Structures are given as C-alpha cells and as structure tokens.
Amino acid sequence: MRNFKNSTIYQIYTKSFQDSNGDGLGDLNGVTSRLDYLKELGVDYIWLTPFFVSPMNDNGYDVADYTAVDPSFGTMEDACRLIAEAKLRGIGLMFDMVFNHTSTEHEWFLRAMKGEEKYMNYYIFRDGSPDLPPTNWESKFGGNAWEYVPHLKKWYLHLFDVTQADLNWDNPEVREELKKVILFWKEKGIEGFRFDVVNLISKPEQLENDEIGDGRRFYTDGPHVHEYLKELVRDTGIADMVTVGEMSSTSLENCIRYSNPAEKELSMVFSFHHLKVDYRDGKKWELKAPDYQELKSLLETWQMGMQKANGWNAVFWCNHDQPRIVSRLGDDQNYWKESAKMLAACIHLLRGTPYLFQGEELGMTNPGYPDITYYKDVESTNYYEIMRSQGKTKAEALQILAARSRDNGRTPMQWNGGKEAGFTEGTPWITIPQNHEYINVETEKEDETSILNYYKKLIALRKESSIIADGKIEFLYQENPDVLAYRRFNEQGELRVFNNFTGQKVVLEENVAGYAVLLGNYEDAQESQAGIVLRPYETVVYRK
Ligand code: TEU
C-alpha cells in the first residue's frame, strides 16, 4: 500500500467525466483516455463512483448487480483495462461500494418480492396495515422511509429512494454476500474502496417512532456498526488497502473508532458537519449565509479531536452530492481565481488526506440553472415538488435548488472551450455551463497562474513535505471569523497558513519574522514582516 497520508485522492463522477462513444454519458473508456491528465496532476488514487448494473434512479447508487458493469458505462474488459492502465501510471483505483441498500431491481429484492423467505430476510420488512407505516422515519430524499407491498402485506425500509431498499446487515448471509463483492473487485487489482453511507448499516432491533426527529438518531452509527465493519475488513483482508467510509450525520467519537488504525476498521472517514454551516436550523432546503465562525469551530473540533485520538480525516469541500465550493464559500464572480485557490490551500493543508472532486481543480462553478427542467437528480426533483407544495413560489424553490441541488456538482468536466466542453461529441445528459469557455483544462494548462496549476503545486508539496502529510496541527485566531488560520509542525519545521474568507482586507498582528513565504494566491505574496495584511480571499503559507 502507498502512504495514504501523503496522497491526494481524485474523485471521478463517472457519468460526467468523459464520454467516449457519443451517447452523452461519461464512461469507463472515457476515464481511461484521461489518465495522463491525472498523472500529470499528480494524484495517487482515483475514487470512481458506481458503474455497476443499475436502473440509474440515483445515478448508479441503486445497484442491481455489484459485480457487473452497466452497459452505459462499458464492459468488464473496459474496467480491467482502466485498472491496468492506471496502475501503469502509478495510480490506484478505489471502487464505490453501496452496501447500505440495493436497487429494488437487484435479484435479491426481486426474489424477496416473490415471497422467498431467504431473500425477504436480506431486507428490512415489517408487517403493518397499508395506511400506517411501521415508523414515522423520513427518507433522505423526502417522504416516509417505508413502502408498502400489497401482495406481501408488508412494508420495506428505504432510507433513500423508494427504489433503494435497505439491506438487513443483522443477517449473516447478507454480510457474506457483500464480502464476496469486495473479494471480486479486490482480485481485479484495485487498491481501495469507498463505502457509501456505511455508518447507516446497523439498524436497531426494535424500530420506534422518532418524536423529535426524522429517525436518524436510531440508525446512525447504529448498535453493531463497528462490529460489522471489523468483520468485513478482517474477512476480506482489506485492512492494508486504502478505505474510506462515508459517514452521514456521524459523531467525532464514532469517527475516531472508524479510523483509528488499532481498531482495524477503515483508513479514514468523510464527515459532513462543516458543509452544513449554510443550512438554516440544520435544514438543507432553507438558505442561510455561511457562518464562518461555525465553520472554523467545526473544523477545529474535528481536526483536534481526531489528532488527539489518532483518527484520520478525509478532508474535502466537494463531491457529487455537494454544490461547487467556489460558488458556496468563495466569490465566483469578483474573486473567482483568488477564492478558489484560497479554498484549495485551506483544505489541502489540513491534517488528513485531501479529496479533489473532478473540476474542483479548475474552479468549476454551480451552473445556475434557470428552470426545473434542467435538473436531473431525484433528490432535487422530489424536493422541488415538496417545496412547492409547502407554499414556496417557483422562483424561491429554484433559488434554493440553484444553491443546494446535487446537480451543481454533477455537470460534466470542462476539458476545453469548444462545443460541450470536450466532454462529448453528442448531447450531454445534463447542461454544461457557458463558463466552460474560460473555465477548462486546455486554457488553464497554459496559464501558469491558473487554479489548475495551483492544485498541482499543492499536490506536489504534500509529497515533499512531511509537515503537510503528517505534521501536527494547531489553530490560530480562533475568535476571528474572517480568517481561518493554523500551524502545522513536526521536527522538520513549521508552516503557518492564513486564509482570508472575506472579500475585504484583513489585518493580523502576526509576527512572521524569520519565516519565508512558501505559497500564496496573489502574484506578489508578501515576504515575512511583523504584522500581515491579507487582501480579499488571500491565502499565505509561511514556512520556517
Ligand atoms: O450519499 C449519502 C447522503 O446522505 C447524502 O449525499 C444525501 O444524498 C444528501 O446529502 C441528502 O441531502 C450517498 C451518495 O454519495 C449519494 O450520491 C447517494 O445518493 C446516497 O448515498 C444513496 O446511496
């Protein structure tokens, strides 16, 4: 295994990366054709989102066959070629295991629907009358989390879409089936796994109504989750591979256990608390300006807590479920380049393994879709209807989607300024923003000061500096909401990182005499002096 602490992991949303056959959908051969770009960027691993057989109600997170390639993405030969070609370039692949649920088109579920008891035990079925779901739990995509099956006179649980039925991990046969999936892909030569919402797999034995919430407190980091993870890792021999778990609404205490090497669970975890600082009262579909003080204190709590107990974070701003960070915490109009670079340095220099989501390295923005017909994501289309039925006007609902929709992160990779951004020769499955004319790989490669070249520097720096890869972290200016600042240090030296999160000048009484500027996002980064003046969205990294 490579050292995952000095590695950078690149996330590819397969459907939106590169189309190779003109059908408007990204595919495996498309990914293979772009490996040289990723090698040049310097990334160590690719996390590839699901390309398995699926009815695509949730773009592949509804898996109908875990060990077969969906024809829209290519063939098994294409997958094997991708793994081999990546390996030749020193890049390891991580595949995405969606084990909390299967598609309702999976053979197991189809057989359960026929009333086969063995397969009914693979899922979470409960008796009940047609008008009263077993609990009041809510689906993450809106509505009640249970679906009634008239001919079985039972309800099944789906924490996500109605076509994503939750698996019953308490059944040892289910756990054995999933281990076989891991072994199947492991034998194909991949180097790691990402586990989708893996902290939701263990539901309590007694299911009860949630009088104060949507039910998540009962099944999040559930009763047997650590035991089941340990078993999965032990029996598939993946303790030495790179693994990351996506942890929904988790706690620090649990994340320490998931990622502390002594526990032999996972290499690292994604947690999302820092990406809710613009949710009003914690509600995704209610807008609020980002609370930077809250962002700072969440990052600090998690960084310090994980450090203290030997846990390890995946550090990230973007993925296929999140809006684009430069449109969210930066200023994609007036300080596009500066704020994108500041956000890059800020996250890449934290303690943890950075994840870079396709197009983030270009400063790709939210597309600003003007109408509901542009949206494809099941969560967005569901919530549009919900918001409308709750009395929001069309314009209000669209404004919220423009900020919150998962489709914001799913627009195709912008390779060049030409038609459809070089993503496809056909019609893309989702509209590409006009700004691909200047935000694209071709243009940014040529520009030494581009966001792309800045990311390249950050990725290379991590390889050169043990301070970045594995140094300690301590936060500075905790009470100042305008800057996020911290120091990283070990026996090799010290870095001081200052990030101005505002569009105004910020003055800090900081003595950096004796330090040199290692990196900045303005052409003329200041040399060390007593006191620092940070320009709008400026980031400066000092080194001693
Ligand atoms: O996401 C889990 C998850 O809880 C959130 O992404 C959720 O979809 C959103 O924040 C609700 O507002 C994972 C995958 O990353 C996502 O793409 C899948 O849709 C989901 O699991 C189900 O498999």
Side-chain angles (χ1 to χ4, degrees):
M1 184 181 68
R2 265 178 287 237
N3 171 2
F4 62 80
K5 297 191 170 178
N6 69 13
S7 293
T8 301
I9 301 180
Y10 190 90
Q11 184 194 350
I12 289 182
Y13 195 61
T14 318
K15 191 174 179 178
S16 295
F17 193 61
Q18 178 67 63
D19 176 20
S20 73
N21 62 0
D23 64 1
L25 307 166
D27 48 43
L28 296 174
N29 287 340
V31 176
T32 307
S33 75
R34 294 294 187 180
L35 286 170
D36 287 333
Y37 166 75
L38 298 174
K39 183 179 156 71
E40 207 183 310
L41 185 57
V43 300
D44 300 273
Y45 297 95
I46 295 170
W47 150 27
L48 195 65
T49 60
F51 53 85
F52 316 111
V53 169
S54 162
M56 304 288 167
N57 292 320
D58 189 18
N59 285 353
Y61 281 91
D62 45 332
V63 181
D65 185 345
Y66 289 105
T67 55
V69 176
D70 193 89
S72 68
F73 288 121
T75 63
M76 189 60 78
E77 288 72 56
D78 297 339
C80 293
R81 191 170 338 109
L82 168 57
I83 298 167
E85 289 289 327
K87 193 159 279 177
L88 283 176
R89 291 163 178 82
I91 300 174
L93 276 157
M94 298 165 72
F95 285 176
D96 202 331
M97 300 290 112
V98 189
F99 284 172
N100 175 67
H101 43 264
T102 73
S103 163
T104 50
E105 288 185 24
H106 194 289
E107 193 199 340
W108 303 335
F109 194 81
L110 296 176
R111 296 181 73 168
M113 289 300 257
K114 288 191 187 135
E116 284 186 45
E117 207 179 311
K118 172 179 161 84
Y119 290 102
M120 289 181 70
N121 285 331
Y122 273 38
Y123 295 91
I124 302 174
F125 279 97
R126 287 290 183 277
D127 292 326
S129 62
D131 46 345
L132 186 67
T135 68
N136 66 350
W137 298 0
E138 280 169 40
S139 152
K140 310 252 182 204
F141 292 163
N144 187 271
W146 295 91
E147 181 72 5
Y148 190 64
V149 185
H151 72 274
L152 296 175
K153 298 195 170 57
K154 285 182 195 294
W155 297 79
Y156 70 85
L157 179 70
H158 62 91
L159 293 182
F160 292 88
D161 187 53
V162 59
T163 65
Q164 292 166 302
D166 281 58
L167 282 165
N168 174 18
W169 275 69
D170 293 333
N171 178 354
E173 288 179 66
V174 167
R175 305 203 296 274
E176 291 312 312
E177 296 273 16
L178 300 176
K179 288 174 200 167
K180 282 191 236 158
V181 176
I182 301 269
L183 291 173
F184 177 89
W185 289 113
K186 187 183 168 197
E187 276 155 25
K188 299 265 183 242
I190 66 170
E191 295 186 30
F193 293 96
R194 179 249 187 198
F195 292 99
D196 191 60
V197 289
V198 72
N199 68 325
L200 309 185
I201 58 174
S202 172
K203 278 75 174 177
E205 213 164 294
Q206 290 301 322
L207 307 182
E208 50 184 301
N209 275 338
D210 191 349
E211 306 303 345
I212 56 169
D214 62 5
R216 72 182 66 192
R217 67 196 174 100
F218 294 123
Y219 58 74
T220 302
D221 304 314
H224 301 288
V225 65
H226 293 285
E227 177 191 326
Y228 292 159
L229 263 177
K230 283 188 171 71
E231 179 189 311
L232 189 78
V233 168
R234 183 195 64 212
D235 293 356
T236 54
I238 59 167
D240 289 335
M241 295 175 81
V242 181
T243 54
V244 58
E246 186 201 27
M247 305 302 176
S248 166
S249 301
T250 189
S251 69
L252 174 58
E253 189 197 2
N254 276 291
C255 284
I256 289 166
R257 293 179 65 189
Y258 293 129
S259 65
N260 182 318
E263 299 283 334
K264 295 197 165 45
E265 294 184 21
L266 301 170
S267 316
M268 61 190 117
V269 290
F270 290 116
S271 67
F272 294 88
H273 302 280
H274 66 297
L275 295 175
K276 297 182 179 176
V277 299
D278 52 4
Y279 289 11
R280 182 139 54 84
D281 305 322
K283 295 195 185 96
K284 175 168 178 171
W285 305 101
E286 304 273 354
L287 301 181
K288 180 180 94 174
D291 182 336
Y292 292 107
Q293 188 60 48
E294 197 190 345
L295 175 72
K296 278 165 60 97
S297 71
L298 278 166
L299 286 175
E300 178 172 352
T301 304
W302 278 78
Q303 288 274 306
M304 298 309 285
M306 292 291 261
Q307 169 167 275
K308 190 167 166 213
N310 204 19
W312 195 253
N313 275 301
V315 290
F316 72 106
W317 293 125
C318 294
N319 69 25
H320 63 293
D321 295 331
Q322 298 290 330
R324 292 289 180 177
I325 202 62
V326 66
S327 302
R328 188 176 189 180
L329 298 182
D331 179 343
D332 64 8
Q333 299 296 312
N334 304 305
Y335 295 101
W336 167 66
K337 216 171 181 178
E338 292 83 356
S339 61
K341 289 183 187 175
M342 182 278 286
L343 290 162
C346 177
I347 204 83
H348 276 242
L349 301 177
L350 288 172
R351 177 181 177 275
T353 300
Y355 282 67
L356 179 48
F357 177 58
Q358 62 178 60
E360 185 178 353
E361 77 275 26
L362 307 174
M364 274 178 62
T365 66
N366 290 349
Y369 290 147
D371 189 68
I372 188 63
T373 52
Y374 286 74
Y375 289 95
K376 307 293 176 205
D377 178 25
V378 54
E379 185 194 49
S380 298
T381 51
N382 284 355
Y383 270 100
Y384 180 75
E385 292 306 327
I386 294 172
M387 288 189 280
R388 292 287 283 132
S389 72
Q390 288 169 345
K392 291 225 156 56
T393 65
K394 233 178 176 174
E396 285 167 343
L398 284 173
Q399 191 200 355
I400 294 173
L401 283 186
R404 293 293 145 82
S405 170
R406 303 195 299 179
D407 284 335
N408 284 311
R410 298 178 180 185
T411 64
M413 180 70 176
Q414 298 175 184
W415 296 104
N416 61 46
K419 197 164 176 291
E420 311 306 358
F423 165 67
T424 180
E425 311 253 280
T427 307
W429 68 277
I430 190 166
T431 306
I432 299 177
Q434 206 53 44
N435 65 23
H436 76 270
E437 286 164 3
Y438 64 95
I439 304 179
N440 67 62
V441 172
E442 218 170 84
T443 307
E444 294 195 33
K445 254 188 174 171
E446 300 308 313
D447 172 7
E448 233 180 272
T449 72
S450 68
I451 299 168
L452 176 61
N453 281 316
Y454 199 78
Y455 270 96
K456 230 169 151 174
K457 258 184 236 161
L458 282 168
I459 294 167
L461 267 180
R462 166 170 295 268
K463 285 266 178 288
E464 291 156 19
S465 162
S466 67
I467 309 176
I468 298 174
D470 203 17
K472 286 212 147 44
I473 190 164
E474 197 176 277
F475 285 77
L476 307 167
Y477 297 96
Q478 282 107 319
E479 305 306 322
N480 184 340
D482 297 339
V483 289
L484 201 148
Y486 50 85
R487 50 189 288 264
R488 301 289 314 274
F489 53 99
N490 67 9
E491 62 290 345
Q492 303 292 315
E494 183 193 344
L495 301 181
R496 287 190 180 210
V497 184
F498 300 95
N499 301 294
N500 180 357
F501 268 73
T502 77
Q504 279 91 46
K505 193 169 90 175
V506 172
V507 183
L508 298 175
E509 277 177 39
E510 174 76 19
N511 186 357
V512 279
Y515 288 75
V517 173
L518 176 69
L519 189 73
N521 62 343
Y522 277 73
E523 298 306 291
D524 54 336
Q526 316 156 47
E527 284 306 316
S528 50
Q529 59 189 71
I532 338 178
V533 182
L534 293 171
R535 288 160 286 186
Y537 295 103
E538 183 161 11
T539 177
V540 195
V541 183
Y542 293 94
R543 174 180 191 145
K544 192 160 85 169

